[in-house]
Amino acid sequence: MKKFKVQIVITVGIMLNVVGAYIAMSLSIPFYMDSIGTLLAALLLGPKYAMITGVLGSLTSGILFDMYSFYYAPTQLLTGFFAGILYHAHWLKGKRMPLGIMMIGLPTSLASAMITAGLFGGITSSSSGIFALLLNKAGLHLVVSVLLVQVITDCTDKAIAYFIAKLVIEKGKLKEKWGIKWNATAK
């Protein structure tokens, strides 16, 4: 039964990541919306399965509609790892929650900025790249421009993803139905 629950949560998580990324790209919103399912898996199953969910979501998006997603799969590893650890260590509750979200967003931002600046010269399929290029043309170094935009967009994106995942879990009473003690998923 545990294996079946894990497979269902991962599958739903991948679908949420892909649909969220597609909506963000189609509407040209400056957030990525590609980690809602990763956060859902992190909250229900812990870091291990959140990381799997995130990478598979990136690969699926890359195959279906956004080839840039392939290159950002490592950022999903970071998102899944930190979200799973921080949630289960109670860093995403109460007064600590904003700091916890930043602790998820900052490593992701750094990795994303290195990928965006190093591989793509600041331009990707995300509409947030426009802001990075504007900052660069205003005189900031490209890496600094991309990093600044990534920090703002990644932290906001992770906050939105967290609240959506938490809402889905609470409204559907999924923790009781589908939650597995995260340390049990390491076996």
Side-chain angles (χ1 to χ4, degrees), residues 107-172:
T108 305
S109 299
L110 184 58
S112 294
M114 290 189 303
I115 294 166
T116 302
L119 291 178
F120 304 116
I123 301 172
T124 64
S125 58
S126 173
S127 63
S128 65
I130 295 167
F131 299 112
L133 291 177
L134 288 173
L135 290 173
N136 180 245
K137 294 300 177 193
L140 281 177
H141 187 274
L142 179 63
V143 175
V144 174
S145 300
V146 171
L147 182 59
L148 183 61
V149 170
Q150 287 295 150
V151 167
I152 293 166
T153 56
D154 271 325
C155 289
T156 304
D157 179 70
K158 300 312 173 248
I160 293 167
Y162 171 73
F163 287 116
I164 292 172
K166 189 173 181 220
L167 182 68
V168 167
I169 290 169
E170 288 173 358
K171 293 296 179 187

Side-chain angles (χ1 to χ4, degrees), residues 49-183:
Y49 292 112
M51 293 166 63
I52 292 168
T53 301
V55 169
L56 291 176
S58 282
L59 297 176
T60 304
S61 291
I63 290 167
L64 294 176
F65 61 88
D66 182 15
M67 71 112 189
Y68 290 101
S69 290
F70 288 120
Y71 300 96
Y72 290 93
T75 65
Q76 287 285 355
L77 290 172
L78 293 169
T79 298
F81 176 77
F82 284 107
I85 295 293
L86 293 168
Y87 176 76
H88 295 284
H90 306 289
W91 274 92
L92 296 175
K93 296 177 182 173
K95 293 178 184 177
R96 298 167 100 186
M97 191 254 311
L99 185 56
I101 296 222
M102 286 180 59
M103 291 167 60
I104 297 168
L106 291 177
T108 305
S109 299
L110 184 58
S112 294
M114 290 189 303
I115 294 166
T116 302
L119 291 178
F120 304 116
I123 301 172
T124 64
S125 58
S126 173
S127 63
S128 65
I130 295 167
F131 299 112
L133 291 177
L134 288 173
L135 290 173
N136 180 245
K137 294 300 177 193
L140 281 177
H141 187 274
L142 179 63
V143 175
V144 174
S145 300
V146 171
L147 182 59
L148 183 61
V149 170
Q150 287 295 150
V151 167
I152 293 166
T153 56
D154 271 325
C155 289
T156 304
D157 179 70
K158 300 312 173 248
I160 293 167
Y162 171 73
F163 287 116
I164 292 172
K166 189 173 181 220
L167 182 68
V168 167
I169 290 169
E170 288 173 358
K171 293 296 179 187
K173 298 185 183 346
L174 298 182
K175 194 73 172 165
E176 297 82 18
K177 296 176 189 173
W178 296 94
I180 297 169
K181 291 187 185 273
W182 76 273
N183 53 0

